[in-house]
Amino acid sequence: MPASFSVLHQFPLQSLNTFGIVASARAYLRVTEKEQLLCVYADGAWATLPKLVLGGGSNVLLTGDFDGLVLHIALQGREVLEGTQQHYLVRAAAGENWHAFVQWTLAQGVGGLENLSLIPGTVGAAPIQNIGAYGLEIKDVFHSATVFDPRSGETRVMEASACRFGYRDSIFKRDEGRHLIILDVTFALPRQWQPNLRYAELAAEPGLGNAPTPQQVADAVIAIRRRKLPDPAVIGNAGSFFKNPVVPGAQCAALLERFPNLVHHAQADGSEKLAAGWLIDQCGWKGRSLGAAGVYPKQALVLVNNGGASGAEVVALAQAIQADVQARYGVLLEPEPVFI
């Protein structure tokens, strides 16, 4: 077994979820090399236990203690590969902090990820959620991922087409792929970089000018996010709690007749994406609380732990918001975080 194969028992998980929920795991292993995973799944004592793979814990809601083995992916490493005439290929291990990795790419003179600055979590979690912000999604810059398959014990490379990316979705969130463990991710970033300022709020940010650099775009994104969103190190949260619902064009048109100020964005297939934060705000939830769980006063899309909230309190708040939005607009909001 690897020298670092050391399983800890009754391990506290509060520092491993950005909501800051107090919970514990029956067993815990900090994974710093792939061989540890091979040992876990080959060892009869551990192979049959339920497993929870955690990175930065920025997209999970712990609703209680976990009666199994937490695999905390802490693999490290990043490099710029040779690439192609059109793209730099940049690879990072799954345990690398996402924002630090984005800043590192910019320091290497490689643009392309700047619109995704300051998103909490790890590199390995980014393709699972197909994270996106300010006009860019992971699928737009994804090249491939190296994954470990516990069922076969094999490691393989998955290209973008195999990952079946969707809005805040991928094969890694579905039954056929949720067992796969991402070890590293490679991104294809443009050699001929152009700023992505399609998002109106970003384009209007002061100081960008007519020809911003990648770092200037990153700084603008960081400034916007800091104004709107709470720092998980200060106020426990998991970022945007609900997905922006996508509805048929006819349903959106009917809603607009009743609610002319409805915030909506046309999609290529004729559907419409509604702004979940606007829906929640209109239902009067911004700044409100249920127990120790609340809705962030500056952004209704973010649920927060105001201090000592349990996972059950966050769930109760989320369900109350869902019920109000559905009653008023006929739209069911879908949570982004995974409930454990």
Side-chain angles (χ1 to χ4, degrees):
M1 286 188 177
S4 55
F5 188 88
S6 177
V7 174
L8 304 177
H9 299 273
Q10 297 306 314
F11 191 84
L13 298 176
Q14 185 174 9
S15 65
L16 292 182
N17 73 100
T18 59
F19 251 116
I21 301 295
V22 175
S24 63
R26 177 176 169 185
Y28 164 89
L29 176 64
R30 179 179 170 85
V31 179
T32 57
E33 50 186 318
K34 183 183 75 173
E35 287 70 25
Q36 292 169 297
L37 296 174
L38 294 170
C39 289
V40 164
Y41 286 95
D43 188 317
W46 302 113
T48 57
L49 271 185
K51 311 289 192 308
L52 171 61
V53 178
L54 278 181
S58 61
N59 198 48
V60 298
L61 175 62
L62 300 177
T63 58
D65 294 336
F66 183 68
D67 188 26
L69 174 62
V70 165
L71 298 172
H72 180 202
I73 305 301
L75 301 162
Q76 299 292 298
R78 52 199 184 189
E79 59 183 326
V80 179
L81 307 174
E82 185 173 343
T84 67
Q85 288 186 338
Q86 290 78 34
H87 294 96
Y88 296 102
L89 293 182
V90 184
R91 179 177 297 155
E96 290 281 351
N97 175 274
W98 173 258
H99 176 65
F101 168 63
V102 172
Q103 292 296 297
W104 178 83
T105 62
L106 297 175
Q108 309 310 303
V110 180
L113 295 177
E114 57 282 340
N115 291 50
L116 303 180
S117 295
L118 210 62
I119 293 178
T122 58
V123 168
I128 296 174
Q129 183 74 357
N130 184 25
I131 61 173
Y134 302 104
L136 182 71
E137 290 182 310
I138 282 294
K139 68 178 180 62
D140 301 324
V141 289
F142 181 91
H143 178 270
S144 59
T146 306
V147 303
F148 172 72
D149 187 341
R151 295 176 180 175
S152 65
E154 296 177 348
T155 298
R156 66 177 186 270
V157 174
M158 295 179 65
E159 296 185 348
S161 59
C163 295
R164 294 165 55 187
F165 290 119
Y167 171 57
R168 301 296 180 268
D169 193 26
S170 72
I171 193 172
F172 305 109
K173 296 182 71 173
R174 305 175 195 174
D175 289 342
E176 61 267 40
R178 70 176 78 247
H179 65 287
L180 299 172
I181 299 175
I182 296 175
L183 303 178
D184 63 51
V185 185
T186 301
F187 301 91
L189 305 178
R191 290 186 182 272
Q192 299 299 317
W193 178 85
Q194 294 290 328
N196 177 354
L197 303 177
R198 290 177 302 210
Y199 196 89
E201 185 178 13
L202 178 56
E205 185 68 8
L208 275 184
N210 295 323
T213 66
Q215 186 63 61
Q216 287 173 328
V217 175
D219 291 343
V221 169
I222 291 168
I224 294 170
R225 292 185 70 90
R226 283 182 172 156
R227 284 200 302 269
K228 295 172 58 176
L229 304 172
D231 182 349
V234 179
I235 304 174
N237 73 92
S240 298
F241 195 89
F242 296 104
K243 297 179 182 179
N244 290 318
V246 178
V247 302
Q251 183 179 354
C252 182
L255 283 169
L256 281 168
E257 289 184 5
R258 297 173 55 207
F259 309 101
N261 295 326
L262 178 75
V263 178
H264 62 102
H265 304 280
Q267 305 299 293
D269 63 358
S271 63
E272 296 275 350
K273 183 183 290 184
L274 309 183
W278 186 88
L279 299 173
I280 297 166
D281 190 7
Q282 294 300 303
C283 289
W285 277 103
K286 184 186 283 188
R288 286 177 59 189
S289 297
L290 282 182
V295 180
Y296 191 55
K298 295 182 181 179
Q299 173 52 268
L301 199 51
V302 178
L303 305 193
V304 296
N305 177 355
N306 287 319
S310 66
E313 286 180 300
V314 178
V315 171
L317 173 61
Q319 290 175 340
I321 292 170
Q322 286 175 307
D324 279 3
V325 170
Q326 188 162 32
R328 184 169 186 179
Y329 297 101
V331 174
L332 178 61
L333 296 182
E334 182 181 350
E336 283 197 28
V338 178
F339 291 17
I340 305 296

